[in-house]
């Protein structure tokens, strides 16, 4: 969802973290995605929709961006597209040939490398017995997203790890950014994923069977994979200092928004200096969305309902 729907939408200024989306059962010309446990929250922010991992909202965002536009970014991430991958279910990671754990973990390197994608490699260097370098991984990268986009996504995924579907990562007491995923049907789940990262590393974990046997009913991306991930992150930094948070783009600005106007009137208005802190929402904005105080932020492409 972050790679295929949210990041392309933010990159192309279609949505921001405060854009509101109707989280409700929606029919897209015969395709009607369902949320986990059929839970729908109504009008929620783009950020909230990612925190709770709404399937409907992710599909609405991809529909708004356009599959053709999204594919430009998917190709740069070296994800295995085929001619038949033209469905809105791409927002939920439904590829005809599937995606390997290595591929999806590599794709998430864009978020801790300022929008640059690095293909994973198991070999750094090969030398002969005399130390002569026979092969060295050049670690070439592809530019996929602008740093502004990545910073906004990181701000959202940090809250996924704090309070969302990946909140079990908070047990390890360090700042992490994360997304979970679960593949299944009414019969049960077949795959459960947890992808997490900090400024130095990306960790991908998968639970499943090679023959697609069903997992235990209580295994989702936010359960065992994330719990195991928390323990691995703890082990990695045992006796070491935790890395600092990923720095935001210097061209972004954190702006304080009036919460009452946002919640009650569906308006994005700058808070003034007299607004009580409990009625303030802080959010990151690109420079081209910046306006003078007291004016509605019309250029945020703020929409009540994405269809």
């Amino acid at each position: 969802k972050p790679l295929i729907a949210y990041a392309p939408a933010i990159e192309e200024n279609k949505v921001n973290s405060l854009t509101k989306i109707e989280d409700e059962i929606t029919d897209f010309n015969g395709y009607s995605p369902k949320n986990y446990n059929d839970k729908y929250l109504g009008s929620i922010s783009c950020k909230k929709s990612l925190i709770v991992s709404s399937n409907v909202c992710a599909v609405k965002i991809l529909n708004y961006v356009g599959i053709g536009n999204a594919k430009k970014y998917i190709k740069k991430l070296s994800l295995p597209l085929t001619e038949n991958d033209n469905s809105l279910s791409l927002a939920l990671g439904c590829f005809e040939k599937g995606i390997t754990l290595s591929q999806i973990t590599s794709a998430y390197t864009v978020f801790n490398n300022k929008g640059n994608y690095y293909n994973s490699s198991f070999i750094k260097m090969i030398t002969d017995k005399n130390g002569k370098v026979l092969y060295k991984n050049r670690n070439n990268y592809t530019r996929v997203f602008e740093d502004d986009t990545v910073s906004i996504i990181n701000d959202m995924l940090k809250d996924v790890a704090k309070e969302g579907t990946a909140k079990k990562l908070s047990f390890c007491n360090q700042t992490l950014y994360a997304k979970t995923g679960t593949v299944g049907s009414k019969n049960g789940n077949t795959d459960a994923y947890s992808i997490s990262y900090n400024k130095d590393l990306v960790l991908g974990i998968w639970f499943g069977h090679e023959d697609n046997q069903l997992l235990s009913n209580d295994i989702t991306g936010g359960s065992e994979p994330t719990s195991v991930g928390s323990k691995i992150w703890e082990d990695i930094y045992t006796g070491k200092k935790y890395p600092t948070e990923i720095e935001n783009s210097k061209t972004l600005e954190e702006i304080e928004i009036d919460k009452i106007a946002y919640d009650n009137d569906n308006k994005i208005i700058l808070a003034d200096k007299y607004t009580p802190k409990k009625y303030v929402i802080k959010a990151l904005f690109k420079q081209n969305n910046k306006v003078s105080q007291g004016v509605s932020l019309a250029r945020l492409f703020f929409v009540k309902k994405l269809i």
Side-chain angles (χ1 to χ4, degrees):
K1 295 171 188 173
L3 293 163
I4 296 168
Y6 289 80
I10 292 170
E11 180 80 1
E12 302 202 2
N13 288 324
K14 299 293 186 182
V15 302
N16 191 275
S17 61
L18 289 186
T19 300
K20 280 197 175 179
I21 310 172
E22 289 293 331
D23 185 29
E24 61 185 10
I25 296 176
T26 306
D27 183 87
F28 299 89
N29 296 321
Y31 172 53
S32 184
K34 301 285 178 63
N35 286 349
Y36 184 71
N37 282 340
D38 278 327
K39 184 177 180 181
Y40 306 90
L41 300 179
S43 183
I44 58 176
S45 70
C46 187
K47 184 176 185 176
K48 179 68 174 181
S49 74
L50 190 56
I51 290 172
V52 300
S53 198
S54 166
N55 289 336
V56 171
C57 291
V59 172
K60 283 187 175 183
I61 290 171
L62 177 58
N63 188 47
Y64 192 41
V65 171
I67 293 174
N69 282 335
K71 278 186 170 183
K72 295 185 302 185
Y73 303 101
I74 296 172
K75 290 175 181 177
K76 289 180 181 180
L77 293 167
S78 295
L79 297 177
L81 280 172
T82 71
E83 292 182 358
N84 296 323
D85 285 322
N86 290 303
S87 167
L88 289 173
S89 62
L90 277 173
L92 311 181
C94 297
F95 287 70
E96 183 181 38
K97 290 187 175 181
I99 304 175
T100 68
L101 181 61
S102 175
Q103 287 170 330
I104 192 170
T105 304
S106 294
Y108 269 78
T109 60
V110 296
F111 297 139
N112 67 349
N113 283 289
K114 299 184 180 297
N116 298 316
Y117 163 74
Y118 289 85
N119 189 28
S120 62
S121 174
F122 291 98
I123 301 175
K124 288 185 177 181
M125 185 185 298
I126 300 174
T127 64
D128 63 17
K129 62 181 180 180
N130 298 316
K132 181 181 179 181
V133 176
L134 304 177
Y135 166 83
K136 185 175 182 179
N137 180 11
R138 299 297 178 186
N139 218 12
N140 294 327
Y141 64 85
T142 301
R143 186 71 169 172
V144 183
F145 301 114
E146 293 300 318
D147 196 14
D148 282 358
T149 296
V150 168
S151 293
I152 293 172
I153 289 289
N154 286 340
D155 181 62
M156 297 164 76
L157 293 182
K158 182 167 62 174
D159 281 353
V160 173
K162 282 183 179 179
E163 59 184 271
T165 57
K167 61 185 176 183
K168 287 189 176 181
L169 287 170
S170 63
F171 296 161
C172 63
N173 298 316
Q174 56 179 296
T175 299
L176 294 170
Y177 311 77
K179 185 69 187 75
T180 63
T182 306
V183 180
S185 65
K186 62 182 180 180
N187 298 321
N189 299 329
T190 55
D191 303 86
Y193 292 87
S194 172
I195 308 295
S196 52
Y197 61 95
N198 60 19
K199 68 184 301 183
D200 298 326
L201 302 168
V202 182
L203 173 66
I205 297 173
W206 168 73
F207 270 54
H209 299 281
E210 289 188 0
D211 59 2
N212 269 347
Q213 288 184 45
L214 294 180
L215 297 166
S216 172
N217 289 336
D218 60 349
I219 295 182
T220 65
S223 64
E224 293 301 320
T226 306
S227 181
V228 169
S230 179
K231 294 174 183 176
I232 292 174
W233 282 112
E234 261 191 316
D235 289 343
I236 290 172
Y237 290 100
T238 297
K240 300 177 183 177
K241 186 178 180 180
Y242 295 141
T244 57
E245 294 186 15
I246 299 172
E247 292 183 4
N248 287 331
S249 167
K250 297 188 184 306
T251 56
L252 283 180
E253 184 171 347
E254 185 177 66
I255 297 177
E256 295 186 341
I257 304 301
D258 187 300
K259 187 176 187 298
I260 294 177
Y262 179 75
D263 290 341
N264 298 339
D265 303 324
N266 286 325
K267 292 181 179 179
I268 300 182
I269 305 289
L270 294 177
D272 62 35
K273 63 181 180 180
Y274 302 109
T275 306
K277 293 300 180 184
K278 65 179 180 179
Y279 297 128
V280 170
I281 301 173
K282 293 182 179 181
L284 297 173
F285 293 93
K286 297 181 180 180
Q287 287 291 327
N288 59 1
N289 287 329
K290 184 179 176 182
V291 297
S292 60
Q293 187 164 345
V295 181
S296 178
L297 301 180
R299 295 194 63 190
L300 288 177
F301 301 91
F302 177 78
V303 288
K304 184 177 180 182
K305 189 172 183 180
L306 291 180
I307 59 174

